Structure formats: C-alpha cells, structure tokens
C-alpha cells in the first residue's frame, strides 16, 4: 500500500483578517508579512475580508468581500491578524480569542488590555519590524508564528479585562 512520508509534509498556515480599508489599518503590512512567508517558502492561505475590492490576490493572500459572519473563518484559522496603528475596543480580537484562535497583532495598549499575551495566545510584532532594515527580525517572528501555529490556547474572559476602559470612561 501507498504510504506518505510524514517528513515530506509541511504544515499549512491558515491566517485570516477582517478589516476596513483605511490607512490606520496599514494594509501594506499584510503584503510585507506575506512576502516574508513567501521568502521563507512557508505554505499559507491568508483570507483578508475587506470593504475594498483589492483584486490583488497574490500567493497565499486572498482578498474577499466582507461577510456578515466571519466567525467560521476565524474559528478555522491558526491566527487572526490585525496589524493596525490604532485601535479602540477591538471586537474582532475578543471574538478571535473567544474562539481560542491565536492573534497576530501590533503592540497596541488596547490588545494588551484585552489579554493578548505574546507567546501565549498570540504574537505581538513591533511596528519597527515592518521597516526594511528589520527584515531579519520579521523573519524570526514569522518562524516563531509558524512553530506556534498548532499551540492550543484557552482564553478566559476575566471581569477585570475591561478595567482600563472603565477607568478611562469614568474620568
């Protein structure tokens, strides 16, 4: 009988993003990160749900129109990716973590307040890693992301999660 050599199989990375097209969402970071995945020859599929018809599908990046319910896509992914410059209360991060899907984010206070912990339930990419002179650092993060892709998480919502937000609104 035919037998597959498990050493020949490479695990496929599944990414998903859902974001509006806006400069603050930094859509070019998707292209930068995808180019690193391509350069490292890592197999991936990255579904990007957006309001803009990019029509620039390339490699594993697939731009899609918005869907009313992206949760099945998030649930079926290794990482939910949001590489913004700014976020308020990010429901998409809460939804991803609630589905026990790891997140890949930039270092925004809002994400930390929601319980994102680098290396535990996601990976935090410093802003400067997207600069050309830090390409090697970004490659190292992508390797870490790939090695962590099968790690299971169990996000526990804690009432204190929103303490920072509550204090802000009390003032």
């Amino acid at each position: 009988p035919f037998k597959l050599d498990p050493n020949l199989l490479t695990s496929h990375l599944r990414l998903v993003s859902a974001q509006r097209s806006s400069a603050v969402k930094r859509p070019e970071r998707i292209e930068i990160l995808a180019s690193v995945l391509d350069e490292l020859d890592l197999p991936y599929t990255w579904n990007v749900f957006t309001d803009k018809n990019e029509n620039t599908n390339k490699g594993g990046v697939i731009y899609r129109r918005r869907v009313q319910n992206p949760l099945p896509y998030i649930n079926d992914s290794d990482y939910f990716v949001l590489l913004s410059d700014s976020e308020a209360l990010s429901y998409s991060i809460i939804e991803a973590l609630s589905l026990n899907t790891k997140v890949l984010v930039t270092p925004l206070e809002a994400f930390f307040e929601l319980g994102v912990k680098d290396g535990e339930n996601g990976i935090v990419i410093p802003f400067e890693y997207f600069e050309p002179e830090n390409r090697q650092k970004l490659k190292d993060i992508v390797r870490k992301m790939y090695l962590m892709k099968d790690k299971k998480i169990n996000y526990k919502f804690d009432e204190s999660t929103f303490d920072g937000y509550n204090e802000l609104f009390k003032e």
Side-chain angles (χ1 to χ4, degrees), residues 28-135:
E28 71 276 9
R29 288 184 180 147
I30 290 173
E31 294 174 20
I32 293 168
L33 198 59
S35 71
V36 170
L37 286 161
D38 292 337
E39 195 174 319
L40 293 173
D41 203 26
L42 296 174
Y44 70 98
T45 303
W46 191 343
N47 287 296
V48 179
F49 293 93
T50 183
D51 56 341
K52 185 177 178 185
N53 185 4
E54 298 288 343
N55 200 22
T56 56
N57 297 343
K58 181 179 177 190
V61 180
I62 304 162
Y63 287 93
R64 299 177 179 273
R65 293 179 188 194
R66 285 186 177 177
V67 292
Q68 278 194 313
N69 182 11
L71 296 181
Y73 294 93
I74 295 170
N75 191 48
D76 191 42
S77 295
D78 297 309
Y79 291 93
F80 178 81
V81 185
L82 189 55
L83 305 172
S84 303
D85 276 346
S86 175
E87 288 291 329
L89 177 59
S90 179
Y91 289 109
S92 57
I93 295 298
I94 296 169
E95 291 167 342
L97 290 172
S98 296
L99 292 168
N100 293 317
T101 298
K102 294 175 295 303
V103 296
L104 185 64
V105 297
T106 46
L108 298 175
E109 186 62 33
F111 299 147
F112 297 125
E113 289 178 3
L114 295 174
V116 174
K117 293 185 177 109
D118 187 48
E120 286 185 35
N121 57 13
I123 295 178
V124 179
I125 303 177
F127 294 116
E128 65 270 15
Y129 283 21
F130 291 96
E131 300 300 325
E133 65 271 14
N134 291 318
R135 184 82 169 183

